[in-house]
Amino acid sequence: MAAKPDTSRTTKRSTSTRSTAKRATAAPATAKRATAKRATAKATSAAKSAVPSSRPAAPRRQGSQGALAAGAARASGERAKRRSTPLLATSSRPAAAQTAPAPAAASSAASPTTSRAKHRPHPVAKAASIPTKRAVARSGARTARQPVRGRNGSAAATRPTEAAPVRVLKAVTDDEALAPATKPTLSTSRTAPGVEELLTAGISAVRVAAGVAGVSADDVERYLATMLSFIRRRVTGDYTVDEFGFDEDFTENFYLPVLRPLYRSWFRVEVRGIEHIPSEGGALVVANHSGTVAMDSLMTQVAVHDEHPARRHLRMLGADLVFQTPVVGTLARKSGSTLAANPDAERLLSNGELCGVWPEGFKGVGKPFSERYKLQRFGRGGFVSAALRTGAPIIPCSIVGAEEIYPIIGNMRTVARLVGAPYAPITPTWPLLGPLGLIPLPSKWIIEFGSPVETADLGPAAADDPMLVFDLTDQVRETIQQTLYSLLMQRRSVFF
């Protein structure tokens, strides 16, 4: 009977062989790790010798197992040393310091506080540093504050204490985080300029501009004050209008000031015989009409108001077309004009107003330049009848210079019929130059008021006598015509 093989011995032998092979395979890797650890442990060998370790050294084993055990002990000792030594003391030192002699390394290891103070000094806290709300919002906490007492014992301000612990009180909202730390205070010495300062600065600038332009600064300032007062009255409604629509405040403060530059600087109007106009009571001014555009009536109105000592307003009698025009009709009503009808004229004269009439009408305004200063027919003498019924004197007025502002060299009758106008003039500048043709030529004007023709002695019944009315009409017309010829002889030039 064959003997059974000893399987237990064979198994033990194979197990021993496998363990030996594992140790032989792991020996090079272990040797490499041990070499690296040995190089690292050289820097700390001096510290180990200076500081005695509480652990006894492991007994050195014989053979390969002893070498492995020694390497493991050194590795565990290094890990223990790293855990007991502050990270700053070993990591912040340069490589040269790690290979320093044993006494220096020992002193560094023995006093970690000194090494930490050397490489990372504590920041010095500012005495008056107050954290802003934005900084608090970023940190998510608030610092405890202590009231700082002033000299009189009152709480003047709050400052954070240096040793106060930081604890979260509440969450800071977005509005608080975005709000500034301190609110700006308004200084009384630097405030926004008021209305008085702005007006003073504006008036000063206007005075300087007037001085540069050669205009009296006092006149400009007076005019500005008048305009501001006028605007205030218009806004508050502090003005009156009579039954004919005459607005005296509007006429004196807006209408006449707009016409004065033309009267004084452009046409340079010379007024004669202003003393023939009575200071009070009704009177009828009868004048010649010309100029393509009725500028002569406007200049006569300015002359009566500005040159007469009583500053009387001339209430003009206009045609129907004037009041049918949208803007012109409103301005005419506000400036004192009314419809050229006997009832309105008689009412004005009976109320003691100074009226003005231009009997030629559109026939005189639209006559060609070749017939200049030749009076057209005065109509049926309705103005004479109104003067006779009221007993108002008739004052002849002759105007020289208006014929040359828009010399009519042609008439577009077809265009006039289409637009419903009495005439469509052609002048040297219109319509050739377009809008520039509307600028009048700067002719020299002379306005002369003749001696009045009294009608009070004839009585109201004389208005019903046609022959007397025609005689007075022709008398007034001939007076104006002769005066025109006389003024033309005296005039040196059309523009001078």
Side-chain angles (χ1 to χ4, degrees):
M1 186 173 179
K4 295 181 179 180
D6 192 356
T7 57
S8 60
R9 185 179 301 176
T10 306
T11 303
K12 290 180 182 180
R13 189 179 297 112
S14 63
T15 302
S16 176
T17 304
R18 282 196 301 270
S19 62
T20 304
K22 286 181 181 180
R23 285 195 298 270
T25 304
T30 304
K32 291 181 181 180
R33 286 196 298 269
T35 304
K37 291 178 182 179
R38 195 178 299 111
T40 306
K42 286 182 181 181
T44 56
S45 58
K48 288 182 179 180
S49 60
V51 181
S53 177
S54 58
R55 294 182 181 182
R60 187 183 299 265
R61 295 181 182 181
Q62 300 295 330
S64 60
Q65 294 182 354
L68 293 174
R74 283 194 297 272
S76 61
E78 179 65 19
R79 285 194 297 269
K81 182 62 179 178
R82 288 181 181 178
R83 284 195 298 268
S84 62
T85 305
L87 296 177
L88 186 63
T90 57
S91 60
S92 61
R93 289 183 300 175
Q98 293 180 3
T99 58
S107 61
S108 299
S111 59
T113 305
T114 305
S115 176
R116 183 165 53 252
K118 177 180 180 182
H119 293 283
R120 184 177 290 180
H122 290 287
V124 179
K126 296 182 180 179
S129 62
I130 301 176
T132 61
K133 290 185 178 181
R134 183 170 296 179
V136 173
R138 291 177 179 176
S139 62
R142 290 186 178 179
T143 57
R145 296 174 178 265
Q146 288 185 354
V148 180
R149 300 291 177 178
R151 295 181 179 180
N152 54 358
S154 61
T158 58
R159 294 181 180 177
T161 56
E162 297 181 3
V166 178
R167 60 190 182 92
V168 178
L169 297 180
K170 68 173 184 176
V172 181
T173 61
D174 295 338
D175 295 338
E176 293 179 354
L178 296 177
T182 57
K183 295 182 178 180
T185 57
L186 296 177
S187 177
T188 56
S189 60
R190 298 184 62 185
T191 57
V195 178
E196 296 182 357
E197 289 79 359
L198 293 176
L199 287 177
T200 303
I203 292 174
S204 301
V206 169
R207 293 178 68 90
V208 172
V212 173
V215 183
S216 176
D218 295 335
D219 294 342
V220 174
E221 185 175 349
R222 191 182 305 109
Y223 175 74
L224 290 177
T226 304
M227 289 301 298
L228 291 176
S229 178
F230 168 72
I231 294 173
R232 181 188 62 80
R233 289 193 300 270
R234 305 309 290 189
V235 171
T236 58
D238 188 15
Y239 60 94
T240 58
V241 180
D242 67 358
E243 55 180 339
F244 295 96
F246 173 55
D247 189 346
E248 185 176 0
D249 183 62
F250 171 81
T251 303
E252 291 186 351
N253 297 290
F254 180 79
Y255 180 75
L256 294 178
V258 170
L259 297 177
R260 282 194 183 101
L262 290 174
Y263 175 82
R264 296 178 179 177
S265 302
W266 193 254
F267 298 132
R268 294 146 293 149
V269 179
E270 179 183 350
V271 179
R272 301 176 183 178
I274 194 65
E275 66 276 2
H276 294 149
I277 298 177
S279 299
E280 58 183 9
L284 182 63
V285 176
V286 181
N288 60 307
H289 216 12
S290 60
T292 308
V293 178
M295 297 291 293
D296 51 359
S297 60
L298 305 180
M299 296 299 104
T300 305
Q301 188 178 16
V302 179
V304 171
H305 181 271
D306 291 357
E307 306 299 337
H308 197 276
R311 299 284 180 175
R312 302 198 66 178
H313 291 283
L314 183 63
R315 308 294 295 272
M316 298 182 295
L317 304 176
D320 298 345
L321 182 61
V322 174
F323 300 99
Q324 292 173 1
T325 307
V327 178
V328 176
T330 303
L331 292 178
R333 283 290 183 184
K334 288 182 174 294
S335 61
S337 300
T338 188
L339 191 62
N342 280 1
D344 290 350
E346 292 174 6
R347 288 172 60 187
L348 289 173
L349 293 174
S350 300
N351 295 335
E353 299 289 344
L354 180 65
C355 298
V357 62
W358 287 259
E360 292 181 278
F362 292 112
K363 297 188 303 294
V365 179
K367 62 178 177 287
F369 187 71
S370 59
E371 299 179 7
R372 62 188 180 278
Y373 299 114
K374 293 180 181 180
L375 297 182
Q376 303 297 313
R377 190 172 64 89
F378 271 18
R380 293 172 296 181
F383 65 93
V384 176
S385 301
L388 290 172
R389 286 190 174 92
T390 58
I394 300 175
I395 303 172
C397 178
S398 303
I399 304 173
V400 171
E403 297 274 11
E404 291 84 10
I405 60 173
Y406 297 110
I408 296 180
I409 60 178
N411 186 10
M412 298 178 288
R413 292 181 175 85
T414 304
V415 177
R417 285 195 298 268
L418 290 176
V419 299
Y423 56 90
I426 299 176
T427 67
T429 58
W430 172 265
L432 181 62
L433 299 181
L436 295 178
L438 300 177
I439 300 176
L441 298 179
S443 58
K444 179 69 171 63
W445 285 34
I446 300 175
I447 300 178
E448 183 173 340
F449 297 95
S451 299
V453 179
E454 298 294 339
T455 61
D457 299 338
L458 300 176
D464 298 329
D465 188 354
M467 295 302 296
L468 181 59
V469 172
F470 290 155
D471 289 343
L472 287 177
T473 302
D474 289 341
Q475 180 183 350
V476 173
R477 181 178 180 278
E478 288 297 327
T479 302
I480 296 174
Q481 186 68 75
Q482 295 300 324
T483 306
L484 288 175
Y485 290 153
S486 176
L487 293 176
L488 290 173
M489 294 294 294
Q490 299 174 16
R491 187 174 65 168
R492 296 177 300 174
S493 173
V494 176
F495 302 104
F496 301 101

